[in-house]
Amino acid sequence: FALYGLGIPLAGALILFRNRHRFQDTRFVSVYGFLFRGFEQTGHPFARFWEVLVVMPRKVVFTMLGALLGTTPTLIQALCAVYFLFANVVLHTRYLPYTNERLDRVESYSLVTSFTTLFLGILFLVNEEEGGSEQVGEALTVLVILLQAAMLIIFIHGLVVIVIPQQVATLRTFLELRMRRTTVKVGAAEGTNVAGAPAASTQRTGGSASGSLGTVQPVQPSTPATIGEPAVESTRVLVRNSHAGSCSAAGERSAHGPGHDSDHVPAPTHPCASGMPR
């Protein structure tokens, strides 16, 4: 009894009190919304905790009355229950905790019906103990049956007209929020893909591409070859100039005649004289 009868209502009240600033949070409402949804959120702060501080303890007290007062006379049990229900009627009339006024009226009818049923039951017990007439007992029984039938009709009407449309509207709002959230996520994903496409294309074409053809490396110009081209050209010019000077000196020796000291020395074969390409 202490764990379930008192622990569950107290745990629910503690959870709601510690998260009282999250009553508009979608995630919190989806988990704990059954404890406070449908009650006044802008009125008296006590109305937000009506389910865990009034409705659940009411059920616990009725169960406790039947368990703890089981050995006492039935009349005493009925009187205690009537007094407790009267306190609940006064409390509900004082705060009217539901957001929908129709639900407040249905709750008031329910409490008054319970109170009247117990009161008629007490009259029936007194009539039986005092040896009253059977007609009075039958009349009280018919009144109780009619009262319960009327309350059943009111309950079904409230269920069809109030509760079901409210639950359908809540479910529709929840589905719309989920669809909007999904649409936002899809749009963000598409934007990320579009923004990342040029970078991926540049990476594939600029660096390396792995595929069936292997790894493709970009061909870079050889820096040393570019720098060394002027040096090679200068070397070629110097060789040409030295060849031209050698050809001029050979021509001058042949023009001095046979008395020159160089006549008995055979002239070396030079590329210029043999017509070899320079």
Side-chain angles (χ1 to χ4, degrees):
F1 172 78
L3 180 60
Y4 294 99
L6 298 178
I8 293 177
L10 291 178
L14 181 62
I15 291 173
L16 293 183
F17 180 77
R18 295 182 61 180
N19 298 274
R20 59 187 181 278
H21 59 281
R22 299 180 58 192
F23 283 175
Q24 303 300 327
D25 188 0
T26 305
R27 182 176 299 179
F28 183 78
V29 172
S30 63
V31 178
Y32 299 102
F34 70 97
L35 294 176
F36 62 88
R37 191 166 48 195
F39 297 102
E40 290 286 349
Q41 304 296 323
T42 58
H44 198 280
F46 182 65
R48 305 176 185 178
F49 309 95
W50 193 264
E51 181 71 24
V52 295
L53 294 181
V54 177
V55 177
M56 288 185 180
R58 182 194 306 164
K59 300 174 182 179
V60 172
V61 170
F62 270 107
T63 304
M64 186 175 63
L65 288 176
L68 298 180
L69 302 179
T71 57
T72 59
T74 306
L75 182 61
I76 295 177
Q77 297 181 24
L79 288 174
C80 293
V82 165
Y83 179 79
F84 180 71
L85 279 176
F86 178 76
N88 278 269
V89 170
V90 173
L91 196 63
H92 179 79
T93 307
R94 167 66 178 81
Y95 290 103
L96 297 175
Y98 291 95
T99 305
N100 196 326
E101 295 181 358
R102 293 181 179 180
L103 290 178
D104 284 328
R105 289 198 296 268
V106 171
E107 181 71 11
S108 299
Y109 296 155
S110 176
L111 292 174
V112 171
T113 300
S114 299
F115 176 82
T116 307
T117 301
L118 285 176
F119 182 75
L120 293 176
I122 291 173
L123 294 179
F124 182 83
L125 290 175
V126 172
N127 181 66
E128 288 290 331
E129 290 180 359
E130 296 295 334
S133 62
E134 295 182 357
Q135 290 78 9
V136 174
E138 293 177 355
L140 291 175
T141 303
V142 171
L143 285 177
V144 170
I145 293 174
L146 292 177
L147 188 63
Q148 296 298 323
M151 186 60 218
L152 180 61
I153 294 173
I154 293 175
F155 175 77
I156 294 175
H157 178 268
L159 183 66
V160 174
V161 176
I162 303 174
V163 178
I164 293 180
Q166 185 177 3
Q167 294 298 323
V168 170
T170 303
L171 180 61
R172 185 180 303 171
T173 303
F174 176 75
L175 293 177
E176 289 178 356
L177 291 176
R178 290 291 299 270
M179 291 179 64
R180 291 178 184 177
R181 185 177 302 177
T182 304
T183 304
V184 170
K185 289 182 179 180
V186 171
E190 291 179 354
T192 304
N193 293 335
V194 171
S201 177
T202 304
Q203 184 178 2
R204 288 195 299 268
T205 57
S208 62
S210 298
S212 60
L213 298 179
T215 303
V216 180
Q217 298 287 346
V219 178
Q220 299 292 338
S222 180
T223 304
T226 305
I227 297 175
E229 286 181 359
V232 172
E233 187 64 26
S234 301
T235 304
R236 291 176 180 175
V237 172
L238 291 176
V239 171
R240 290 174 183 175
N241 293 335
S242 62
H243 290 175
S246 300
C247 293
S248 299
E252 290 179 357
R253 285 193 300 267
S254 60
H256 289 163
H260 198 268
D261 295 337
S262 61
D263 292 339
H264 64 280
V265 179
T269 303
H270 198 271
C272 296
S274 59
M276 295 179 61
R278 298 175 182 177

